[in-house]
Amino acid sequence: MSQLQRLVIVESQVKGSIVALSSEQQHYLQRVLRLKNGDRFIALDGKGQTWAAILESDQATLIESIHASSELTVSVTLMLALPKTGFDDVVRQVTELGVSCIVPVISDRTLLNPSGNKLDRWRRIAQEAAEQSERQIVPTILEPLPFKTALDLPADSKFLCAERGSSQHLLNCELGKSVMIAIGCEGGWTAQEIELAIAKQYQPVTLGKRILRAVTAPVTALSLIAGMVESRAASED
């Protein structure tokens, strides 16, 4: 079953066991993936529900629910001050690594001012990456928020990636059931932003002794968190 191609559908497309496929989905399944009527694929709603489905021209039939999960056992939100370039790649890679939510923020050093079209593009990239990496959940991507506003978003564990220094390494931190990891853009956070975050119960952490690019740090942080979570789960089995 894991070898079948995957497609995200939305609730409004489904009536009973029948899925009305959009023209774009039909093109993807029939022209890009070369599926024929009667071929199977996996349909997912991006919220955790997954089914085996059979293609039938302009629609599909859901034939059975699939209960396997590839999701992390903790919810991870990435708060990222928008870098000048490379955000598309960050969205794709952290989706593959298991992020639950991405919060683009406008910080004191942010230069990018994205349009609504950018947000739509990021959400499409997240959907494609979730399909490709066999996830059951498509990450939520919020509209860009001011950093001060985003600091009030809830999480059990809140970490602020700071520059090299005496901060504790992320690997040595305890993770709650929901984790917020905040990462700055080029130039990092200002001293005032770090003070604001600490006042909101964020713990400054380091990702290591080297300076990482703004688009490398989030992938590193998500890799560390995913490794910690999955290693812990394996040891408990």
Side-chain angles (χ1 to χ4, degrees):
M1 193 71 70
S2 62
Q3 300 302 312
L4 297 179
Q5 301 291 343
R6 306 169 79 83
L7 182 75
V8 174
I9 59 176
V10 296
E11 184 178 356
S12 60
Q13 293 180 260
V14 183
K15 290 187 178 179
S17 62
I18 303 300
V19 182
L21 299 172
S22 68
S23 58
E24 291 82 3
Q25 290 170 328
Q26 293 174 49
H27 176 83
Y28 177 67
L29 291 171
Q30 297 170 353
R31 299 296 179 87
V32 178
L33 300 181
R34 305 287 186 181
L35 298 187
K36 298 178 175 59
N37 288 346
D39 285 345
R40 294 191 178 197
F41 65 96
I42 294 177
L44 56 150
D45 66 0
K47 301 176 181 178
Q49 294 293 315
T50 309
W51 304 267
I54 295 178
L55 177 63
E56 298 170 352
S57 187
D58 61 349
Q59 65 183 34
T61 300
L62 306 178
I63 56 174
E64 63 176 323
S65 180
I66 300 172
H67 300 291
S69 176
S70 58
E71 296 298 319
L72 297 177
T73 55
V74 302
S75 173
V76 183
T77 297
L78 169 66
M79 182 197 303
L80 181 61
L82 285 164
K84 289 184 291 186
T85 60
F87 196 75
D88 289 9
D89 289 335
V90 171
V91 170
R92 182 177 295 105
Q93 292 164 345
V94 298
T95 296
E96 292 173 7
L97 289 165
V99 77
S100 301
C101 179
I102 301 172
V103 185
V105 297
I106 309 299
S107 69
D108 289 345
R109 290 173 174 158
T110 298
L111 299 177
L112 181 65
N113 185 19
S115 64
N117 291 336
K118 282 284 188 181
L119 182 60
D120 291 339
R121 174 178 172 79
W122 296 334
R123 288 172 174 167
R124 287 196 302 272
I125 290 172
Q127 178 176 312
E128 292 167 0
E131 293 171 348
Q132 180 273 327
S133 57
E134 298 190 358
R135 292 191 59 182
Q136 284 73 51
I137 295 174
V138 177
T140 301
I141 303 183
L142 303 185
E143 295 185 4
L145 295 172
F147 177 63
K148 186 176 181 180
T149 302
L151 287 174
D152 289 325
L153 294 172
D156 294 331
S157 305
K158 299 181 178 182
F159 303 108
L160 182 83
C161 288
E163 295 158 357
R164 291 179 297 181
S166 59
S167 298
Q168 185 175 2
H169 198 290
L170 179 61
L171 270 178
N172 299 322
C173 296
E174 292 292 327
L175 304 180
K177 293 298 291 182
S178 60
V179 176
M180 178 78 74
I181 183 85
I183 299 175
C185 61
E186 296 84 355
W189 306 109
T190 63
Q192 183 180 24
E193 287 171 332
I194 293 173
E195 290 178 4
L196 282 172
I198 292 173
K200 294 290 186 177
Q201 308 305 311
Y202 277 76
Q203 177 183 346
V205 295
T206 180
L207 300 178
K209 296 181 178 180
R210 291 151 300 283
I211 294 293
L212 302 179
R213 295 176 62 229
V215 293
T216 305
V219 177
T220 301
L222 261 293
S223 298
L224 290 172
I225 292 172
M228 293 162 66
V229 171
E230 292 178 333
S231 176
R232 182 177 65 189
S235 67
E236 293 173 351
D237 289 342

